[in-house]
């Protein structure tokens, strides 16, 4: 029996899930792999309040340095999130010749390249399956399963909290606030849920995916990011009537030597496999060559899902002992320096546009006139109600148009005296 000694930093939702998973599956892991994971120490800020003291032979501390210094510990499992002090913990653990497992997308997205180099220099490795889509194995799919294929594009629902909120708003008519409160209760949301809602959580994850799929380390600053807070119930309903669903999508495409990467609410046809991914589930649609399209889906947030990814990393470390960071394809992705980022202004997409305009003759021609001036073609045009005393929603679907032109047109539309609130624009994709 091979014994691997673990130190766990962070005993929140995921940390407690890892402990449960290790306890529940201990005999299976021993019988099947001949590996015994021994959890020697747990570090958490509020150790006394949270930890059930019955965890067998496990010492508890609030000082992560104690775990990193402990010569008996082989692997540090970092589950606190955020860059600081996670970076210090990971770097120090590697320097003390420990492997690292982390679910920290912000850390890997921002500092992955440096950390992999540090791991290589110390003959150790970093595994991070749970950083994207939790236990749904997208990291291993990209780095092992489909490695060797060219990834032309990927479209992912990679934030469980936003997908849960949009689903609850769509199916149950819940308010945004009600759905968010539920997502927090279920342990899907980040400790700071604004990172989910404003799209940043998905952006960190997309940066990691682009690195693995397209071989380019990109900064999160290069990813155009919009969250879901401005999505109104009306837009969900209008979209439905047009045969479309709204999802927060993380999108990356490669066009020759250019890559585009963006996160924003997106309208997709209701019959697309991504459109039926509901609740906390995540999914990703990857266009590859020569394999073709692949689709991966499952629970992408929550205690046991994230724990599953961590356990898979731990087993990989145990089985691949002795392989350093550079022998791991995930960490080998050298930056393909000649790939450039295509900035959002130059990206072409179709748009759904909703304008709240006064219901009187001549208004529609003013609206279409402005779109025409900016060479934005209109695919369909619907006025949703008639009420001469008030404003009515005017819904348009455009032809593909460059982002910059659409933005200028929207600014001009907003200034029209007959337009009574900021126009809403949601991009459309048909992966
Ligand atoms: N807050 C994240 C989500 C957790 O909702 O997807 C998993 O990374």
């Amino acid at each position: 029996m091979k014994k691997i000694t673990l130190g766990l930093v962070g005993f929140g939702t995921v940390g407690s899930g890892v402990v449960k998973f290790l306890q529940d599956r201990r005999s299976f892991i021993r019988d099947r792999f001949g590996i015994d994971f021994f959890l020697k120490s747990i570090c958490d800020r509020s150790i006394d309040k949270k930890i059930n003291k019955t965890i067998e032979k496990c010492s508890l501390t609030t000082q992560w340095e104690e775990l990193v210094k402990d010569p008996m510990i082989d692997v540090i499992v970092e589950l606190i999130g955020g860059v600081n002090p996670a970076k210090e913990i990971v770097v120090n653990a590697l320097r003390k010749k420990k492997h690292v497992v982390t679910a920290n997308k912000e850390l890997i997205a921002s500092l992955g390249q440096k950390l992999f180099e540090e791991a290589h220099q110390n003959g150790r490795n970093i595994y991070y399956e749970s950083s994207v889509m939790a236990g749904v194995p997208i990291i291993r799919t990209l780095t092992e399963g489909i490695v060797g294929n060219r990834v032309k594009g990927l479209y992912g629902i990679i934030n469980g909290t936003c997908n849960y909120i949009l689903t609850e708003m769509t199916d149950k008519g819940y308010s945004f606030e009600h759905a968010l409160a539920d997502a927090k209760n279920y342990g899907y949301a980040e400790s700071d849920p604004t990172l989910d809602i404003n799209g940043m959580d998905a952006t960190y994850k997309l940066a990691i995916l682009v690195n693995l799929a397209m071989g380019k380390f990109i900064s999160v600053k290069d990813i155009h990011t919009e969250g879901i807070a401005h999505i109104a119930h009306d837009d969900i309903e209008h979209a439905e009537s047009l045969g479309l669903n709204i999802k927060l999508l993380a999108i990356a495409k490669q066009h020759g030597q250019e890559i585009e990467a963006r996160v924003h609410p997106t309208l997709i046809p209701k019959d697309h496999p991504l459109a039926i991914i509901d609740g906390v589930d995540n999914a990703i649609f990857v266009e590859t060559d020569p394999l073709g399209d692949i689709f991966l889906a499952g629970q992408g947030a929550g205690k046991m899902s994230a724990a599953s990814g961590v356990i898979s990393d731990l087993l990989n470390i145990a089985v691949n002992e002795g392989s350093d960071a550079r022998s791991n394809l995930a960490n080998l992705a050298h930056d393909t320096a000649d790939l450039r980022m295509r900035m959002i202004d130059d990206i072409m997409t179709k748009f759904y546009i909703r304008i709240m305009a006064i219901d009187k003759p001549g208004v529609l021609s003013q609206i279409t006139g402005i779109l025409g001036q900016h060479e934005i073609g209109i695919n369909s045009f619907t006025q949703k109600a008639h009420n001469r005393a008030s404003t009515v929603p005017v819904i348009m679907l455009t032809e593909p148009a460059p982002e910059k032109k659409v933005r200028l047109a929207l600014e001009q539309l907003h200034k029209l005296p007959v337009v009574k609130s900021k126009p809403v624009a949601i991009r459309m994709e048909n992966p």
Side-chain angles (χ1 to χ4, degrees):
M1 188 70 59
K2 183 171 172 179
K3 184 172 170 185
I4 307 266
T5 304
L6 311 177
L8 171 62
V9 185
F11 194 74
T13 306
V14 182
S16 58
V18 168
V19 171
K20 180 171 166 32
F21 205 125
L22 285 171
Q23 287 172 336
D24 292 353
R25 303 289 287 166
R26 187 169 185 200
S27 55
F28 169 81
I29 291 170
R30 286 166 62 113
D31 295 349
R32 183 82 179 262
F33 301 101
I35 291 162
D36 191 21
F37 289 117
F38 167 53
L39 179 59
K40 184 162 186 282
S41 309
I42 297 177
C43 166
D44 193 88
R45 275 182 308 196
S46 48
I47 200 90
D48 293 331
K49 283 186 215 140
K50 287 197 283 191
I51 299 183
N52 177 349
K53 296 268 174 40
T54 59
I55 299 173
E56 209 185 338
K57 295 186 200 149
C58 182
S59 66
L60 311 175
T61 176
T62 55
Q63 306 299 311
W64 60 263
E65 292 86 347
E66 287 177 23
L67 276 60
V68 167
K69 273 194 249 154
D70 185 339
M72 302 298 291
I73 291 178
D74 303 305
V75 184
I76 293 288
V77 181
E78 181 279 304
L79 299 173
I80 57 172
V83 169
N84 292 307
K87 174 190 163 195
E88 226 185 323
I89 296 168
V90 169
V91 168
N92 280 285
L94 293 168
R95 289 183 182 165
K96 291 285 182 190
K97 310 295 180 203
K98 299 177 193 316
H99 296 288
V100 171
V101 171
T102 177
N104 191 328
K105 52 241 159 180
E106 185 176 356
L107 184 72
I108 298 294
S110 335
L111 295 167
Q113 217 172 349
K114 286 191 185 127
L115 296 176
F116 301 144
E117 192 53 42
E118 188 73 51
H120 166 68
Q121 280 166 12
N122 288 285
R124 291 297 181 270
N125 218 326
I126 306 175
Y127 285 78
Y128 50 97
E129 182 63 69
S130 280
S131 63
V132 185
M133 296 174 75
V136 182
I138 184 58
I139 304 289
R140 221 147 266 134
T141 298
L142 291 172
T143 56
E144 294 177 21
I146 63 165
V147 71
N149 283 268
R150 187 167 75 87
V151 175
K152 298 184 291 182
L154 58 87
Y155 304 80
I157 295 171
I158 56 176
N159 182 272
T161 301
C162 286
N163 204 48
Y164 180 83
I165 291 172
L166 291 174
T167 306
E168 296 293 282
M169 285 171 74
T170 307
D171 292 354
K172 299 186 184 154
Y174 283 0
S175 70
F176 181 88
E177 290 73 23
H178 183 161
L180 173 60
D182 281 356
K184 281 196 225 169
N185 284 340
Y186 288 126
Y188 304 151
E190 296 300 295
S191 48
D192 174 5
T194 42
L195 294 176
D196 296 298
I197 302 314
N198 69 14
M200 273 317 290
D201 177 84
T203 295
Y204 293 131
K205 294 168 178 170
L206 182 61
I208 297 172
L209 294 179
V210 168
N211 169 223
L212 298 176
M214 293 164 182
K216 174 92 180 154
F217 286 102
I218 63 170
S219 161
V220 291
K221 292 193 204 95
D222 292 334
I223 300 178
H224 176 83
T225 304
E226 287 171 29
I228 61 163
H230 64 289
I231 298 297
H233 207 268
D234 281 357
D235 295 312
I236 294 175
E237 278 182 2
H238 296 322
E240 281 223 299
S241 69
L242 294 162
L244 301 164
N245 274 2
I246 301 182
K247 296 288 180 190
L248 183 77
L249 284 197
I251 299 169
K253 299 183 194 179
Q254 187 166 353
H255 315 269
Q257 290 305 102
E258 284 191 344
I259 292 177
E260 61 174 80
R262 47 198 163 96
V263 170
H264 50 69
T266 311
L267 287 160
I268 48 176
K270 268 178 162 178
D271 58 0
H272 190 276
L274 284 168
I276 55 166
I277 299 302
D278 281 342
V280 69
D281 281 0
N282 281 197
I284 190 159
F285 186 81
V286 190
E287 297 168 339
T288 78
D289 181 46
L291 172 64
D293 297 341
I294 64 159
F295 186 71
L296 193 62
Q299 185 171 335
K303 179 169 167 162
M304 296 319 288
S305 171
S308 169
V310 170
I311 301 303
S312 135
D313 285 343
L314 288 172
L315 281 166
N316 266 277
I317 284 178
V319 171
N320 299 326
E321 261 262 80
S323 72
D324 81 7
R326 287 212 175 157
S327 66
N328 180 345
L329 282 167
N331 300 349
L332 249 183
H334 291 298
D335 189 39
T336 313
D338 52 353
L339 288 179
R340 296 178 305 276
M341 291 304 294
R342 181 178 288 184
M343 287 302 143
I344 189 72
D345 273 359
D346 302 320
I347 292 172
M348 303 266 290
T349 42
K350 292 183 179 179
F351 279 84
Y352 156 103
I353 296 175
R354 172 169 61 85
I355 293 169
M356 295 306 292
I358 289 178
D359 186 15
K360 68 175 187 185
V363 168
L364 299 188
S365 66
Q366 289 183 51
I367 292 171
T368 52
I370 289 177
L371 293 173
Q373 281 168 32
H374 292 275
E375 297 167 323
I376 299 166
I378 299 169
N379 238 332
S380 78
F381 197 110
T382 325
Q383 182 179 321
K384 280 289 174 187
H386 289 281
N387 184 352
R388 282 284 148 93
S390 175
T391 57
V392 290
V394 176
I395 312 290
M396 287 167 291
L397 301 183
T398 74
E399 296 284 351
E403 179 90 17
K404 192 173 180 179
K405 287 191 176 180
V406 174
R407 200 178 53 245
L408 291 173
L410 291 174
E411 282 165 11
Q412 217 174 320
L413 285 166
H414 193 190
K415 288 184 190 145
L416 285 177
V418 291
V419 172
K420 293 298 172 196
S421 56
K422 194 173 173 209
V424 172
I426 305 175
R427 297 170 191 81
M428 296 166 59
E429 291 282 340
N430 196 352

